[in-house]
Amino acid sequence: MIIAVDFDNTLSLGNWPDVGPANMPVIEALLERKERGDKIILWTCRGGDELSAAVAWCKIYGLEFDAVNANLPEMLEAWGFKDTRKVFANEYWDDGAVPVSSINDTDGGMTDRELRAAATGIVVYNYIMEHGAPPEPNEDGFVEMVGCLSDEAMEQALEFCSYIAPNVTELEWFGEDEETEDGGE
């Protein structure tokens, strides 16, 4: 497991460019993970003397990093020594992080409207890829997508939807008994 951890307001609770006081629960958790064999990357916007101060301060608490603002050598080797600007990690510990689950509804799922919007985006994208242009609306302003895509394209849309909403097993926008939001059918 690779953990990328921020410094300011994550390891250190001081105000930049100062270091300290130490956020001991986070430091202790990292030391425990390092003991279990996890790799730790210091992932911070600090540079120059401020970065050197942060690294030296962490050593005081026994926290030494496998990399600082860089990908691990074994990851670079796995990628054929092609480096990216984004540091690869399995977990990112940062005071400014927003868990993706908190963006969804409180129950962790998407509303039907959000799911339909996401699925529609995938279906339209697949339509454009297959036909070279977006679908044309009929005289009422609606786009009928029934049967206009290959089975493979519809499977991709379903796979996407089931990834973001695991309970989805089929795609259906408006059934025979369901009314649209404006009251029409």
Side-chain angles (χ1 to χ4, degrees), residues 36-117:
R36 292 192 322 213
D38 291 347
K39 304 282 184 155
I40 311 294
I41 299 172
L42 180 60
W43 181 51
T44 178
C45 290
R46 285 179 174 249
D49 292 340
E50 289 84 9
L51 178 59
S52 297
V55 171
W57 181 84
C58 288
K59 282 184 183 179
I60 293 169
Y61 293 95
L63 191 56
E64 296 194 35
F65 301 101
D66 297 288
V68 176
N69 286 339
N71 282 298
L72 294 174
E74 57 264 34
M75 295 311 301
L76 293 176
E77 185 177 342
W79 300 329
F81 296 99
K82 294 177 184 160
D83 205 355
T84 63
R85 292 184 313 145
K86 182 178 178 181
V87 171
F88 172 81
N90 303 105
E91 298 176 6
Y92 297 87
W93 297 12
D94 190 322
D95 62 296
V98 177
V100 173
S101 60
S102 70
I103 296 169
N104 294 337
D105 293 337
T106 54
D107 68 355
M110 296 179 76
T111 65
D112 284 346
R113 183 180 180 138
E114 291 168 327
L115 182 58
R116 287 177 180 161

Side-chain angles (χ1 to χ4, degrees), residues 1 62 118 125 129-130 152 177:
M1 185 75 63
Y125 171 80
M129 295 308 290
E130 282 190 13
E152 180 183 350
D177 299 320

Side-chain angles (χ1 to χ4, degrees), residues 92-181:
Y92 297 87
W93 297 12
D94 190 322
D95 62 296
V98 177
V100 173
S101 60
S102 70
I103 296 169
N104 294 337
D105 293 337
T106 54
D107 68 355
M110 296 179 76
T111 65
D112 284 346
R113 183 180 180 138
E114 291 168 327
L115 182 58
R116 287 177 180 161
T120 300
I122 297 297
V123 169
V124 170
Y125 171 80
N126 286 339
Y127 183 94
I128 292 169
M129 295 308 290
E130 282 190 13
H131 301 280
E136 292 291 325
N138 64 22
E139 61 274 359
D140 297 324
F142 291 100
V143 174
E144 189 166 326
M145 300 293 288
V146 177
C148 66
L149 291 175
S150 67
D151 290 342
E152 180 183 350
M154 286 306 291
E155 280 297 316
Q156 287 174 344
L158 180 58
E159 183 178 329
F160 171 79
C161 292
S162 62
Y163 175 76
I164 57 178
N167 59 332
V168 173
T169 57
E170 64 179 320
L171 295 177
E172 184 177 342
W173 275 254
F174 297 101
E176 292 179 20
D177 299 320
E178 186 175 357
E179 293 185 5
T180 61
E181 289 183 23

